[in-house]
mmCIF file of all heavy atoms in Angstrom:
data_model
loop_
_atom_site.group_PDB
_atom_site.id
_atom_site.type_symbol
_atom_site.label_atom_id
_atom_site.label_comp_id
_atom_site.label_asym_id
_atom_site.label_seq_id
_atom_site.Cartn_x
_atom_site.Cartn_y
_atom_site.Cartn_z
ATOM 1 N N LEU A 160 1.303 -7.407 7.868
ATOM 2 C CA LEU A 160 2.672 -7.114 8.178
ATOM 3 C C LEU A 160 3.187 -5.912 7.358
ATOM 4 O O LEU A 160 3.917 -5.032 7.846
ATOM 5 C CB LEU A 160 3.629 -8.328 7.964
ATOM 6 C CG LEU A 160 3.468 -9.409 8.937
ATOM 7 C CD1 LEU A 160 4.426 -10.558 8.580
ATOM 8 C CD2 LEU A 160 3.778 -8.994 10.418
ATOM 9 N N CYS A 161 2.785 -5.832 6.117
ATOM 10 C CA CYS A 161 3.312 -4.836 5.258
ATOM 11 C C CYS A 161 2.779 -3.470 5.596
ATOM 12 O O CYS A 161 3.482 -2.481 5.626
ATOM 13 C CB CYS A 161 3.142 -5.105 3.793
ATOM 14 S SG CYS A 161 4.243 -4.145 2.717
ATOM 15 N N ALA A 164 4.550 -2.377 8.617
ATOM 16 C CA ALA A 164 5.934 -2.073 8.299
ATOM 17 C C ALA A 164 6.083 -0.709 7.610
ATOM 18 O O ALA A 164 6.919 0.131 7.900
ATOM 19 C CB ALA A 164 6.557 -3.164 7.453
ATOM 20 N N MET A 165 5.194 -0.494 6.640
ATOM 21 C CA MET A 165 5.231 0.780 5.923
ATOM 22 C C MET A 165 4.971 1.978 6.848
ATOM 23 O O MET A 165 5.694 3.018 6.745
ATOM 24 C CB MET A 165 4.169 0.788 4.822
ATOM 25 C CG MET A 165 4.395 -0.233 3.708
ATOM 26 S SD MET A 165 5.723 0.316 2.578
ATOM 27 C CE MET A 165 4.662 1.082 1.317
ATOM 28 N N LEU A 168 8.083 2.668 8.622
ATOM 29 C CA LEU A 168 9.078 3.193 7.717
ATOM 30 C C LEU A 168 8.868 4.704 7.382
ATOM 31 O O LEU A 168 9.657 5.329 6.731
ATOM 32 C CB LEU A 168 9.111 2.439 6.385
ATOM 33 C CG LEU A 168 9.818 1.046 6.424
ATOM 34 C CD1 LEU A 168 9.367 0.251 5.201
ATOM 35 C CD2 LEU A 168 11.313 1.223 6.464
ATOM 36 N N ARG A 271 12.073 5.391 -2.278
ATOM 37 C CA ARG A 271 13.122 5.433 -1.297
ATOM 38 C C ARG A 271 13.391 4.041 -0.649
ATOM 39 O O ARG A 271 14.536 3.601 -0.466
ATOM 40 C CB ARG A 271 12.774 6.436 -0.170
ATOM 41 C CG ARG A 271 13.770 6.501 0.967
ATOM 42 C CD ARG A 271 13.432 7.595 1.919
ATOM 43 N NE ARG A 271 12.121 7.468 2.571
ATOM 44 C CZ ARG A 271 11.937 6.728 3.678
ATOM 45 N NH1 ARG A 271 12.957 6.059 4.210
ATOM 46 N NH2 ARG A 271 10.753 6.600 4.200
ATOM 47 N N VAL A 272 12.292 3.331 -0.323
ATOM 48 C CA VAL A 272 12.447 2.096 0.400
ATOM 49 C C VAL A 272 12.487 0.841 -0.496
ATOM 50 O O VAL A 272 12.598 -0.274 -0.041
ATOM 51 C CB VAL A 272 11.409 1.953 1.533
ATOM 52 C CG1 VAL A 272 11.544 3.099 2.569
ATOM 53 C CG2 VAL A 272 9.978 1.880 0.955
ATOM 54 N N GLY A 273 12.274 1.071 -1.798
ATOM 55 C CA GLY A 273 12.306 -0.068 -2.697
ATOM 56 C C GLY A 273 11.044 -0.826 -2.799
ATOM 57 O O GLY A 273 11.029 -2.056 -3.144
ATOM 58 N N PHE A 274 9.893 -0.179 -2.582
ATOM 59 C CA PHE A 274 8.618 -0.838 -2.596
ATOM 60 C C PHE A 274 7.974 -0.781 -3.978
ATOM 61 O O PHE A 274 7.985 0.288 -4.597
ATOM 62 C CB PHE A 274 7.656 -0.153 -1.594
ATOM 63 C CG PHE A 274 6.276 -0.731 -1.544
ATOM 64 C CD1 PHE A 274 6.009 -1.898 -0.850
ATOM 65 C CD2 PHE A 274 5.219 -0.053 -2.206
ATOM 66 C CE1 PHE A 274 4.743 -2.393 -0.780
ATOM 67 C CE2 PHE A 274 3.926 -0.552 -2.129
ATOM 68 C CZ PHE A 274 3.702 -1.735 -1.403
ATOM 69 N N GLY A 297 5.834 -6.042 -3.744
ATOM 70 C CA GLY A 297 7.130 -6.653 -3.461
ATOM 71 C C GLY A 297 8.139 -5.588 -3.111
ATOM 72 O O GLY A 297 7.909 -4.370 -3.247
ATOM 73 N N TRP A 298 9.312 -6.047 -2.724
ATOM 74 C CA TRP A 298 10.424 -5.158 -2.351
ATOM 75 C C TRP A 298 11.564 -5.510 -3.314
ATOM 76 O O TRP A 298 11.943 -6.665 -3.482
ATOM 77 C CB TRP A 298 10.821 -5.312 -0.935
ATOM 78 C CG TRP A 298 9.751 -4.937 0.037
ATOM 79 C CD1 TRP A 298 8.685 -5.764 0.332
ATOM 80 C CD2 TRP A 298 9.550 -3.736 0.744
ATOM 81 N NE1 TRP A 298 7.858 -5.087 1.228
ATOM 82 C CE2 TRP A 298 8.344 -3.864 1.469
ATOM 83 C CE3 TRP A 298 10.274 -2.575 0.830
ATOM 84 C CZ2 TRP A 298 7.850 -2.868 2.296
ATOM 85 C CZ3 TRP A 298 9.818 -1.535 1.639
ATOM 86 C CH2 TRP A 298 8.637 -1.690 2.327
ATOM 87 N N LEU A 299 12.211 -4.453 -3.799
ATOM 88 C CA LEU A 299 13.420 -4.699 -4.601
ATOM 89 C C LEU A 299 14.451 -5.390 -3.780
ATOM 90 O O LEU A 299 14.760 -4.915 -2.669
ATOM 91 C CB LEU A 299 14.037 -3.428 -5.180
ATOM 92 C CG LEU A 299 13.408 -2.721 -6.324
ATOM 93 C CD1 LEU A 299 14.402 -1.704 -6.846
ATOM 94 C CD2 LEU A 299 12.967 -3.616 -7.446
ATOM 95 N N GLU A 300 15.015 -6.450 -4.273
ATOM 96 C CA GLU A 300 16.170 -7.047 -3.618
ATOM 97 C C GLU A 300 17.325 -6.660 -4.458
ATOM 98 O O GLU A 300 17.915 -5.613 -4.277
ATOM 99 C CB GLU A 300 15.971 -8.558 -3.372
ATOM 100 C CG GLU A 300 14.792 -8.653 -2.365
ATOM 101 C CD GLU A 300 14.531 -9.961 -1.710
ATOM 102 O OE1 GLU A 300 14.182 -10.910 -2.466
ATOM 103 O OE2 GLU A 300 14.673 -10.045 -0.523
ATOM 104 N N ASP A 397 21.953 -5.924 -3.782
ATOM 105 C CA ASP A 397 20.843 -5.832 -2.924
ATOM 106 C C ASP A 397 20.626 -4.337 -2.521
ATOM 107 O O ASP A 397 21.522 -3.780 -1.858
ATOM 108 C CB ASP A 397 21.030 -6.650 -1.678
ATOM 109 C CG ASP A 397 19.748 -6.820 -0.872
ATOM 110 O OD1 ASP A 397 19.469 -5.857 -0.066
ATOM 111 O OD2 ASP A 397 19.034 -7.802 -1.073
ATOM 112 N N MET A 398 19.445 -3.775 -2.880
ATOM 113 C CA MET A 398 19.233 -2.360 -2.694
ATOM 114 C C MET A 398 19.345 -2.013 -1.172
ATOM 115 O O MET A 398 20.028 -1.051 -0.833
ATOM 116 C CB MET A 398 17.866 -1.980 -3.231
ATOM 117 C CG MET A 398 17.502 -0.524 -2.989
ATOM 118 S SD MET A 398 15.930 -0.097 -3.685
ATOM 119 C CE MET A 398 15.783 1.576 -3.130
ATOM 120 N N THR A 399 18.611 -2.704 -0.325
ATOM 121 C CA THR A 399 18.524 -2.351 1.047
ATOM 122 C C THR A 399 19.885 -2.449 1.724
ATOM 123 O O THR A 399 20.316 -1.560 2.450
ATOM 124 C CB THR A 399 17.472 -3.225 1.790
ATOM 125 O OG1 THR A 399 16.255 -3.088 1.139
ATOM 126 C CG2 THR A 399 17.353 -2.872 3.242
ATOM 127 N N ILE A 400 20.581 -3.537 1.478
ATOM 128 C CA ILE A 400 21.850 -3.766 2.135
ATOM 129 C C ILE A 400 22.913 -2.742 1.602
ATOM 130 O O ILE A 400 23.640 -2.132 2.375
ATOM 131 C CB ILE A 400 22.401 -5.209 1.925
ATOM 132 C CG1 ILE A 400 21.379 -6.166 2.579
ATOM 133 C CG2 ILE A 400 23.769 -5.392 2.456
ATOM 134 C CD1 ILE A 400 21.750 -7.647 2.439
ATOM 135 N N ASN A 455 17.650 5.315 4.809
ATOM 136 C CA ASN A 455 17.957 3.967 4.328
ATOM 137 C C ASN A 455 17.653 2.925 5.390
ATOM 138 O O ASN A 455 18.482 2.643 6.258
ATOM 139 C CB ASN A 455 19.448 3.872 3.972
ATOM 140 C CG ASN A 455 19.806 4.853 2.804
ATOM 141 O OD1 ASN A 455 19.050 4.953 1.812
ATOM 142 N ND2 ASN A 455 20.866 5.656 3.040
ATOM 143 N N PRO A 456 16.419 2.353 5.356
ATOM 144 C CA PRO A 456 16.119 1.379 6.377
ATOM 145 C C PRO A 456 17.027 0.169 6.362
ATOM 146 O O PRO A 456 17.520 -0.243 5.334
ATOM 147 C CB PRO A 456 14.649 0.962 6.000
ATOM 148 C CG PRO A 456 14.546 1.284 4.555
ATOM 149 C CD PRO A 456 15.438 2.460 4.294
ATOM 150 N N LYS A 457 17.227 -0.422 7.537
ATOM 151 C CA LYS A 457 17.982 -1.664 7.597
ATOM 152 C C LYS A 457 17.087 -2.854 7.369
ATOM 153 O O LYS A 457 17.525 -3.857 6.792
ATOM 154 C CB LYS A 457 18.620 -1.763 9.012
ATOM 155 C CG LYS A 457 19.478 -2.947 9.185
ATOM 156 C CD LYS A 457 20.376 -2.816 10.398
ATOM 157 C CE LYS A 457 21.236 -4.065 10.555
ATOM 158 N NZ LYS A 457 22.141 -3.954 11.724
ATOM 159 N N TYR A 458 15.812 -2.732 7.794
ATOM 160 C CA TYR A 458 14.877 -3.908 7.645
ATOM 161 C C TYR A 458 13.637 -3.493 6.890
ATOM 162 O O TYR A 458 12.994 -2.513 7.252
ATOM 163 C CB TYR A 458 14.493 -4.418 9.032
ATOM 164 C CG TYR A 458 15.690 -4.843 9.878
ATOM 165 C CD1 TYR A 458 16.172 -3.982 10.902
ATOM 166 C CD2 TYR A 458 16.334 -6.049 9.646
ATOM 167 C CE1 TYR A 458 17.233 -4.399 11.669
ATOM 168 C CE2 TYR A 458 17.415 -6.416 10.448
ATOM 169 C CZ TYR A 458 17.871 -5.577 11.438
ATOM 170 O OH TYR A 458 18.945 -5.959 12.212
ATOM 171 N N VAL A 459 13.370 -4.264 5.846
ATOM 172 C CA VAL A 459 12.104 -4.082 5.140
ATOM 173 C C VAL A 459 11.458 -5.509 5.052
ATOM 174 O O VAL A 459 12.191 -6.515 5.327
ATOM 175 C CB VAL A 459 12.230 -3.502 3.729
ATOM 176 C CG1 VAL A 459 12.793 -2.033 3.820
ATOM 177 C CG2 VAL A 459 13.112 -4.330 2.807
ATOM 178 N N LEU A 460 10.185 -5.504 4.656
ATOM 179 C CA LEU A 460 9.519 -6.840 4.617
ATOM 180 C C LEU A 460 9.807 -7.500 3.291
ATOM 181 O O LEU A 460 8.994 -7.486 2.369
ATOM 182 C CB LEU A 460 8.007 -6.650 4.827
ATOM 183 C CG LEU A 460 7.199 -7.979 4.836
ATOM 184 C CD1 LEU A 460 7.543 -8.876 6.072
ATOM 185 C CD2 LEU A 460 5.699 -7.714 4.857
ATOM 186 N N ARG A 461 10.971 -8.042 3.152
ATOM 187 C CA ARG A 461 11.363 -8.784 1.941
ATOM 188 C C ARG A 461 10.343 -9.898 1.693
ATOM 189 O O ARG A 461 9.805 -10.451 2.654
ATOM 190 C CB ARG A 461 12.731 -9.356 2.083
ATOM 191 C CG ARG A 461 13.841 -8.310 2.154
ATOM 192 C CD ARG A 461 15.089 -8.940 2.713
ATOM 193 N NE ARG A 461 16.168 -7.930 2.855
ATOM 194 C CZ ARG A 461 16.983 -7.601 1.848
ATOM 195 N NH1 ARG A 461 16.889 -8.217 0.685
ATOM 196 N NH2 ARG A 461 17.905 -6.719 2.040
ATOM 197 N N ASN A 462 10.103 -10.192 0.405
ATOM 198 C CA ASN A 462 9.080 -11.213 0.042
ATOM 199 C C ASN A 462 9.394 -12.548 0.722
ATOM 200 O O ASN A 462 8.490 -13.201 1.216
ATOM 201 C CB ASN A 462 9.057 -11.356 -1.439
ATOM 202 C CG ASN A 462 8.893 -9.993 -2.113
ATOM 203 O OD1 ASN A 462 8.156 -9.197 -1.663
ATOM 204 N ND2 ASN A 462 9.803 -9.731 -3.097
ATOM 205 N N TRP A 463 10.628 -12.907 0.795
ATOM 206 C CA TRP A 463 10.933 -14.247 1.431
ATOM 207 C C TRP A 463 10.732 -14.208 2.923
ATOM 208 O O TRP A 463 10.362 -15.190 3.550
ATOM 209 C CB TRP A 463 12.327 -14.700 1.034
ATOM 210 C CG TRP A 463 13.471 -13.790 1.574
ATOM 211 C CD1 TRP A 463 14.025 -12.792 0.916
ATOM 212 C CD2 TRP A 463 14.128 -13.912 2.849
ATOM 213 N NE1 TRP A 463 15.013 -12.212 1.696
ATOM 214 C CE2 TRP A 463 15.073 -12.875 2.848
ATOM 215 C CE3 TRP A 463 13.973 -14.727 3.916
ATOM 216 C CZ2 TRP A 463 15.883 -12.648 3.922
ATOM 217 C CZ3 TRP A 463 14.796 -14.520 5.080
ATOM 218 C CH2 TRP A 463 15.726 -13.467 5.074
ATOM 219 N N MET A 464 10.924 -13.003 3.543
ATOM 220 C CA MET A 464 10.629 -12.932 5.026
ATOM 221 C C MET A 464 9.203 -13.128 5.228
ATOM 222 O O MET A 464 8.774 -13.939 6.151
ATOM 223 C CB MET A 464 11.112 -11.542 5.494
ATOM 224 C CG MET A 464 12.589 -11.328 5.506
ATOM 225 S SD MET A 464 13.133 -9.651 5.668
ATOM 226 C CE MET A 464 12.589 -9.242 7.318
ATOM 227 N N ALA A 465 8.291 -12.509 4.500
ATOM 228 C CA ALA A 465 6.897 -12.689 4.639
ATOM 229 C C ALA A 465 6.554 -14.174 4.444
ATOM 230 O O ALA A 465 5.707 -14.745 5.123
ATOM 231 C CB ALA A 465 6.128 -11.779 3.678
ATOM 232 N N LEU A 483 8.490 -10.660 13.120
ATOM 233 C CA LEU A 483 8.621 -9.669 12.064
ATOM 234 C C LEU A 483 7.887 -8.366 12.396
ATOM 235 O O LEU A 483 8.324 -7.286 12.126
ATOM 236 C CB LEU A 483 8.130 -10.263 10.723
ATOM 237 C CG LEU A 483 9.027 -11.312 10.135
ATOM 238 C CD1 LEU A 483 8.455 -11.755 8.783
ATOM 239 C CD2 LEU A 483 10.476 -10.838 9.946
ATOM 240 N N LEU A 486 10.129 -6.572 14.771
ATOM 241 C CA LEU A 486 11.357 -6.139 14.044
ATOM 242 C C LEU A 486 11.041 -4.889 13.230
ATOM 243 O O LEU A 486 11.819 -3.853 13.250
ATOM 244 C CB LEU A 486 11.861 -7.272 13.139
ATOM 245 C CG LEU A 486 13.083 -6.910 12.234
ATOM 246 C CD1 LEU A 486 14.370 -7.032 13.039
ATOM 247 C CD2 LEU A 486 13.108 -7.795 11.013
ATOM 248 N N LEU A 487 9.968 -4.929 12.501
ATOM 249 C CA LEU A 487 9.660 -3.914 11.526
ATOM 250 C C LEU A 487 9.058 -2.651 12.170
ATOM 251 O O LEU A 487 8.735 -1.669 11.434
ATOM 252 C CB LEU A 487 8.804 -4.474 10.418
ATOM 253 C CG LEU A 487 9.497 -5.583 9.604
ATOM 254 C CD1 LEU A 487 8.494 -6.328 8.693
ATOM 255 C CD2 LEU A 487 10.678 -4.989 8.784
ATOM 256 N N PRO A 490 12.508 -0.084 11.886
ATOM 257 C CA PRO A 490 13.298 -0.479 10.718
ATOM 258 C C PRO A 490 14.622 0.261 10.547
ATOM 259 O O PRO A 490 15.474 -0.139 9.770
ATOM 260 C CB PRO A 490 12.341 -0.162 9.552
ATOM 261 C CG PRO A 490 11.413 0.902 10.002
ATOM 262 C CD PRO A 490 11.223 0.631 11.480
ATOM 263 N N TYR A 491 14.742 1.404 11.198
ATOM 264 C CA TYR A 491 15.960 2.198 11.034
ATOM 265 C C TYR A 491 16.972 1.936 12.170
ATOM 266 O O TYR A 491 18.039 2.530 12.198
ATOM 267 C CB TYR A 491 15.642 3.689 10.952
ATOM 268 C CG TYR A 491 14.719 4.020 9.800
ATOM 269 C CD1 TYR A 491 13.363 4.220 9.988
ATOM 270 C CD2 TYR A 491 15.216 4.120 8.521
ATOM 271 C CE1 TYR A 491 12.519 4.469 8.948
ATOM 272 C CE2 TYR A 491 14.340 4.410 7.463
ATOM 273 C CZ TYR A 491 13.022 4.604 7.669
ATOM 274 O OH TYR A 491 12.178 4.821 6.623
ATOM 275 N N TRP A 501 17.817 -11.543 9.652
ATOM 276 C CA TRP A 501 16.964 -10.730 8.776
ATOM 277 C C TRP A 501 17.678 -9.666 7.968
ATOM 278 O O TRP A 501 17.055 -9.127 7.065
ATOM 279 C CB TRP A 501 15.834 -10.061 9.533
ATOM 280 C CG TRP A 501 15.001 -11.052 10.364
ATOM 281 C CD1 TRP A 501 14.802 -11.085 11.643
ATOM 282 C CD2 TRP A 501 14.164 -12.083 9.793
ATOM 283 N NE1 TRP A 501 13.893 -12.115 11.996
ATOM 284 C CE2 TRP A 501 13.497 -12.724 10.872
ATOM 285 C CE3 TRP A 501 13.924 -12.613 8.470
ATOM 286 C CZ2 TRP A 501 12.666 -13.815 10.700
ATOM 287 C CZ3 TRP A 501 13.063 -13.667 8.346
ATOM 288 C CH2 TRP A 501 12.414 -14.237 9.410
ATOM 289 N N PHE A 502 18.939 -9.313 8.321
ATOM 290 C CA PHE A 502 19.615 -8.352 7.451
ATOM 291 C C PHE A 502 20.464 -9.133 6.484
ATOM 292 O O PHE A 502 21.668 -9.191 6.592
ATOM 293 C CB PHE A 502 20.496 -7.427 8.357
ATOM 294 C CG PHE A 502 21.239 -6.326 7.589
ATOM 295 C CD1 PHE A 502 20.539 -5.363 6.853
ATOM 296 C CD2 PHE A 502 22.605 -6.288 7.514
ATOM 297 C CE1 PHE A 502 21.194 -4.382 6.118
ATOM 298 C CE2 PHE A 502 23.266 -5.286 6.774
ATOM 299 C CZ PHE A 502 22.534 -4.355 6.114
ATOM 300 N N CYS A 503 19.788 -9.781 5.573
ATOM 301 C CA CYS A 503 20.529 -10.569 4.620
ATOM 302 C C CYS A 503 19.810 -10.616 3.278
ATOM 303 O O CYS A 503 18.597 -10.374 3.174
ATOM 304 C CB CYS A 503 20.783 -12.010 5.160
ATOM 305 S SG CYS A 503 19.517 -12.688 6.190
#
Side-chain angles (χ1 to χ4, degrees):
L160 288 180
C161 198
M165 293 284 266
L168 282 163
R271 175 174 65 82
V272 299
F274 177 79
W298 298 80
L299 282 195
E300 294 193 296
D397 192 277
M398 177 178 175
T399 304
I400 297 180
N455 299 313
K457 181 164 180 179
Y458 302 101
V459 297
L460 183 66
R461 294 162 180 274
N462 309 313
W463 64 267
M464 290 165 67
L483 290 182
L486 174 81
L487 296 168
Y491 301 100
W501 302 120
F502 183 62
C503 35

